[in-house]
Amino acid sequence: MKVLQYPLTQITLFLVFGIVFNRYVDIGFTTGLILLAVNFSTFLIVFLLLRVKSNRLLSKVFTAVCLLLAFTVGNFSSLLHQDDNDPKHYSHALSGFKESVELKVVLVERWKPTAKNDRFVAEIYQLNNQLATGKILVNFKRDKTTIDPKIGMKLAISAPIFLLQKPLNPDQFDYGAFLKNKSIYGQVYTDDLSISVFSTTDKSMYYHSAIFRSRVIENLRESSLNEKELGVVHALILGQRQDLDPTVLQNYQHAGVIHILSVSGLHVGFVLLFLNFFLNFLPNSNRFRVFKVLTLIIILWSFSLVAGFTPSVVRSVTMFSFVAIGMYMRRKTYIFYTFYCSIFLILLFEPSFLFDVGFQLSYLALFFILWLQPEFARIWQPKNKIASHLWDVFTITIAAQLGTMPLSLYYFHQFPGLFFMANLLIMFLITVIMGVGLILVLIAYWTVIPTFMSKILEKLIWFLNFIVEKIASFEAFIFKDIPFDFWMMTSLFLAVFAFGWFVIRQNFRTSALLLFSILLFQISYFSFDLNNRSKNELVIFEARNSSLVAERMGNKIAVFSNHLDATSIKNDRNIQSFNVANGTNVVEIKQIPNLLFFKGKKILILDSTAVFVPDLKPNVILITQSPKMNFERVLTHYQPEIVIADASNYKNVVEQLNKTCVQQKIPFHAIAEKGFYKLED
């Protein structure tokens, strides 16, 4: 692959390797700094020697040193940007889940609200009257909070900080890792009794960005724009999806066009073309070319600020800033260089972006469009303009979907079968909406726009939503709950890259690589299936205020519960996640018995109806539903290998059980605190 031979490509790849290395290997800040200093010194020495006397061997050594330096820079940049390396970070001052602390914070970002809480990201600047740093998630309880939180608001909060937890159930979405990737290490829950609002406001760039968006949205609302369409404007043009109707969001996901609701390259590219069109009237002298490029870059980054500096916006604006420079410097912009420059600069200053799903999908889509779309376009070159436009949309969509398919299957376990039709139908409409929307948003910042103008935008968005809804209604073409593990993703990526090389150059080597990669994917799929069919395990889930046990026999599971019916069981998130990750299906649903047998082990389940059986010798005792009994006498008599208390028990019952088990030296596992418990074959 020719593009891999360019120095910038290799340097960027080794920077990425350094960031990934830091993610999984903790070498410490001091060690990372020493490695960087040693590599940089070696780089300088080899560079000076190369200047004095150049030879082939020294050139190869210099190349290796450069790549190693990029690796150590990636590693050290990650260390430098880890907030918990700061001694003033709040995570060093507490252990969480204990007593209340006194916090002083500034709200910097609004997140999508939940059913019970309005959520904001805040910057801590004081903890218990001591200077502190770090981001925290603040949850305002809707039924107990009367203040209207705004970006830039300063608050004093008295509440316990809940540090991040690992998932309490197997194969569950790791919300703690998601927050940590955004440099958030804890969260607080607040109400009117625990909050004090300061009269001063922190007027940072986030504050001005929020003021701009609020003013635009308020003026559009006063212009009689419907709330559903207003939410799409907020997402499509202003980069904020918090107010998007959940049904609309689901329709866009199922239709395979969710990317248009995240401000990214499509939107930023349109803004660049829009601005370039209006700046064409200026003379083409050197002085005015510099003025044009500076104007474009300033406006593009202003757009990024308004959109809230999301990873997709930052990536797109960075890349198109390089494109703008190339356009006005009268040089042919080598698009792959702008692509890798944007990756290098973004990851140098924000290495955590590498692990952002949106960032990964955006760059993969862009890479495959740049790499394969021109090859696909050469297959057929229609002379008709309409046919040519449709063919371009088709090839761009195919290239993007081909590149992102393995990652989408791995993260989301679903694939929209009608993605091409959806993109084909809405692409021209999106162009019109972006043009009209940008103009109206600029007007709406200053004043309420005339009703007839807002109705034009409303009808356009209504028609867009209508098309997406109709496509999403064909549920037979939405392939959901697809089991897909890491090795299947990796082997499918290899197959996709091999297919790309085969499209570019058909010869024996690329044909053999393509066939080998397909075989490797098949092996990974059958290995996944064979491994799952051979597994037998019993899982006690963490289910809030209820009992949930699943016995797995290969790819089939029997679920035991006293609270959920058949429909609820199949829709239960814990069971769904387990099924998707392991390729299993629920074949039987039963009431929880008082005695279970699993691989020669007896599991005694004690609830409020349990009867004491003296002759029984259980290996495991599962306590559910807070039974009223003398635990000391029961455990003394049975002497089990372990005692488990599920999440249906009262807190005081769990504490009493824990104390009794400690006294009798019996291992104890509290599901509500430690998460699920698994018995394996």
Side-chain angles (χ1 to χ4, degrees):
M1 189 175 176
K2 189 177 179 180
V3 70
L4 293 177
Q5 299 173 4
Y6 292 101
L8 184 59
T9 305
Q10 297 171 14
I11 289 171
T12 303
L13 285 175
F14 272 81
L15 181 83
V16 169
F17 293 154
I19 295 171
V20 173
F21 173 81
N22 175 264
R23 181 81 167 193
Y24 298 103
V25 181
D26 184 13
I27 63 171
F29 185 85
T30 304
T31 307
L33 181 59
I34 292 171
L35 286 174
L36 179 64
V38 170
N39 278 282
F40 184 70
S41 301
T42 308
F43 167 80
L44 287 177
I45 292 169
V46 177
F47 175 75
L48 293 173
L49 289 173
L50 201 60
R51 292 288 298 271
V52 174
K53 184 179 180 181
S54 177
N55 59 63
R56 189 174 181 181
L57 178 61
L58 202 57
S59 296
K60 289 184 176 180
V61 172
F62 181 71
T63 300
V65 169
C66 285
L67 297 179
L68 191 58
L69 180 61
F71 179 88
T72 53
V73 166
N75 174 64
F76 185 72
S77 177
S78 297
L79 289 169
L80 202 61
H81 288 86
Q82 284 177 7
D83 290 342
D84 53 354
N85 282 330
D86 184 350
K88 293 182 181 178
H89 194 269
Y90 69 90
S91 61
H92 300 303
L94 42 88
S95 57
F97 293 99
K98 292 184 179 179
E99 56 190 35
S100 294
V101 295
E102 300 297 326
L103 288 174
K104 290 184 180 178
V105 303
V106 178
L107 303 183
V108 295
E109 185 182 354
R110 177 174 171 251
W111 277 16
K112 188 177 180 64
T114 64
K116 296 181 179 180
N117 302 304
D118 289 317
R119 301 187 300 166
F120 283 77
V121 177
E123 290 276 5
I124 295 175
Y125 63 90
Q126 201 172 100
L127 172 64
N128 291 334
N129 297 319
Q130 299 291 325
L131 290 177
T133 62
K135 290 182 179 179
I136 194 166
L137 187 62
V138 181
N139 297 272
F140 296 92
K141 299 176 182 177
R142 287 185 168 184
D143 57 340
K144 297 180 180 179
T145 308
T146 56
I147 70 164
D148 183 18
K150 302 286 186 184
I151 302 298
M153 185 179 285
K154 289 185 174 182
L155 303 172
I157 301 173
S158 177
I161 295 180
F162 294 86
L163 297 182
L164 304 182
Q165 282 186 296
K166 292 182 178 180
L168 295 176
N169 282 310
D171 309 304
Q172 196 177 44
F173 172 66
D174 194 341
Y175 187 61
F178 169 78
L179 291 179
K180 188 176 181 180
N181 194 49
K182 295 182 178 295
S183 300
I184 298 171
Y185 288 78
Q187 54 183 326
V188 294
Y189 293 84
T190 65
D191 52 32
D192 284 343
L193 297 177
S194 60
I195 303 174
S196 297
V197 182
F198 292 110
S199 57
T200 56
T201 302
D202 182 54
K203 296 185 178 180
S204 64
M205 60 180 182
Y206 298 107
Y207 169 80
H208 292 291
S209 173
I211 289 295
F212 178 91
R213 292 194 299 268
S214 297
R215 191 166 177 176
V216 166
I217 293 298
E218 190 59 37
N219 283 338
L220 287 175
R221 188 176 283 116
E222 290 184 16
S223 303
S224 303
L225 197 66
N226 286 339
E227 287 297 324
K228 185 178 287 189
E229 284 72 26
L230 189 60
V232 176
V233 172
H234 211 175
L236 187 63
I237 301 172
L238 298 176
Q240 306 295 309
R241 300 201 310 197
Q242 299 93 331
D243 300 315
L244 199 60
D245 186 277
T247 305
V248 172
L249 181 63
Q250 186 181 65
N251 287 337
Y252 278 77
Q253 288 173 335
H254 289 171
V257 292
I258 187 64
H259 58 277
I260 71 169
L261 295 179
S262 298
V263 175
S264 57
L266 173 69
H267 309 76
V268 178
F270 184 85
V271 172
L272 179 63
L273 294 174
F274 187 76
L275 293 171
N276 188 47
F277 173 78
F278 280 99
L279 291 174
N280 268 340
F281 72 93
L282 293 174
N284 207 25
S285 64
N286 288 336
R287 181 182 300 176
F288 279 102
R289 283 206 308 274
V290 173
F291 173 77
K292 286 179 183 179
V293 74
L294 288 176
T295 302
L296 281 174
I297 291 173
I298 290 171
I299 294 177
L300 285 177
W301 283 99
S302 299
F303 177 74
S304 177
L305 174 63
V306 168
F309 276 117
T310 60
S312 59
V313 177
V314 172
R315 182 266 307 169
S316 302
V317 170
T318 302
M319 175 156 184
F320 279 104
S321 295
F322 281 98
V323 172
I325 293 170
M327 286 168 54
Y328 286 99
M329 292 298 104
R330 288 182 173 178
R331 294 178 182 177
K332 185 179 179 180
T333 304
Y334 182 59
I335 196 66
F336 272 109
Y337 267 95
T338 63
F339 174 81
Y340 284 113
C341 276
S342 65
I343 295 178
F344 186 88
L345 288 176
I346 290 170
L347 295 182
L348 188 62
F349 293 102
E350 284 292 347
S352 64
F353 277 10
L354 180 64
F355 305 100
D356 182 272
V357 178
F359 181 88
Q360 294 170 8
L361 291 172
S362 295
Y363 262 111
L364 278 170
L366 187 55
F367 175 82
F368 274 83
I369 288 171
L370 297 177
W371 182 40
L372 288 184
Q373 192 274 335
E375 302 297 330
F376 291 154
R378 291 191 189 102
I379 296 173
W380 180 46
Q381 296 177 337
K383 296 180 180 179
N384 183 280
K385 287 187 177 180
I386 296 177
S388 179
H389 172 73
L390 294 176
W391 179 243
D392 284 342
V393 172
F394 176 77
T395 54
I396 289 171
T397 304
I398 290 295
Q401 287 289 344
L402 192 64
T404 58
M405 179 174 59
L407 209 59
S408 297
L409 290 171
Y410 177 68
Y411 281 126
F412 308 118
H413 301 281
Q414 68 176 31
F415 185 78
L418 297 176
F419 68 90
F420 166 67
M421 180 183 293
N423 281 277
L424 189 66
L425 291 175
I426 69 173
M427 195 55 67
F428 177 74
L429 190 57
I430 286 294
T431 305
V432 176
I433 290 173
M434 284 293 296
V436 175
L438 281 171
I439 294 171
L440 294 188
V441 161
L442 291 173
I443 296 173
Y445 176 71
W446 302 104
T447 183
V448 177
I449 61 177
T451 303
F452 80 92
M453 294 179 69
S454 69
K455 289 300 177 184
I456 293 174
L457 182 61
E458 181 183 299
K459 293 299 180 184
L460 287 170
I461 294 176
W462 176 87
F463 188 51
L464 173 67
N465 290 343
F466 175 77
I467 293 173
V468 172
E469 183 182 358
K470 287 300 178 184
I471 294 173
S473 65
F474 293 96
E475 294 187 5
F477 293 94
I478 304 169
F479 306 103
K480 300 179 183 178
D481 299 337
I482 304 171
F484 212 78
D485 69 358
F486 176 80
W487 297 111
M488 291 169 68
M489 178 197 71
T490 304
S491 58
L492 185 57
F493 260 128
L494 179 60
V496 169
F497 275 101
F499 174 74
W501 280 318
F502 178 77
V503 170
I504 295 170
R505 185 175 299 173
Q506 289 98 24
N507 55 34
F508 175 78
R509 183 183 298 177
T510 57
S511 301
L513 181 61
L514 178 59
L515 292 174
F516 172 75
S517 62
I518 293 173
L519 177 63
L520 195 62
F521 175 70
Q522 291 175 327
I523 291 172
S524 65
Y525 173 79
F526 287 117
S527 297
F528 172 83
D529 187 59
L530 185 63
N531 183 52
N532 286 328
R533 287 177 183 274
S534 63
K535 274 190 176 181
N536 292 295
E537 56 192 10
L538 186 82
V539 182
I540 303 167
F541 288 91
E542 193 280 331
R544 186 171 297 180
N545 301 323
S546 64
S547 301
L548 187 63
V549 180
E551 183 181 6
R552 176 183 179 182
M553 301 147 289
N555 60 355
K556 299 176 181 179
I557 62 172
V559 179
F560 301 90
S561 176
N562 290 336
H563 297 86
L564 303 176
D565 56 26
T567 304
S568 300
I569 288 290
K570 290 181 179 178
N571 294 328
D572 184 81
R573 288 188 301 173
N574 299 322
I575 298 297
Q576 273 189 331
S577 298
F578 187 83
N579 281 341
V580 171
N582 296 282
T584 54
N585 294 297
V586 177
V587 295
E588 199 172 8
I589 299 171
K590 300 179 181 179
Q591 292 288 310
I592 293 183
N594 290 120
L595 188 64
L596 272 174
F597 292 90
F598 178 77
K599 297 300 175 183
K601 290 192 175 183
K602 296 178 187 176
I603 300 139
L604 177 63
I605 302 172
L606 298 177
D607 58 14
S608 56
T609 64
V611 178
F612 184 78
V613 182
D615 296 332
L616 191 65
K617 295 295 181 182
N619 302 95
V620 179
I621 293 181
L622 173 61
I623 307 295
T624 72
Q625 308 300 318
S626 302
K628 295 180 180 179
M629 60 177 60
N630 189 323
F631 293 121
E632 185 176 355
R633 187 179 67 180
V634 170
L635 298 184
T636 301
H637 179 81
Y638 285 135
Q639 286 297 307
E641 297 172 10
I642 188 171
V643 175
I644 304 166
D646 71 11
S648 67
N649 293 286
Y650 294 129
K651 189 175 180 180
N652 64 317
V653 173
V654 176
E655 291 173 353
Q656 183 185 349
L657 266 170
N658 185 31
K659 188 182 296 183
T660 306
C661 287
V662 169
Q663 290 172 351
Q664 300 196 22
K665 297 181 180 180
I666 298 173
F668 176 70
H669 187 95
I671 298 288
E673 180 184 343
K674 299 179 181 179
F676 71 96
Y677 188 85
K678 184 185 292 187
L679 290 169
E680 295 184 280
D681 191 357

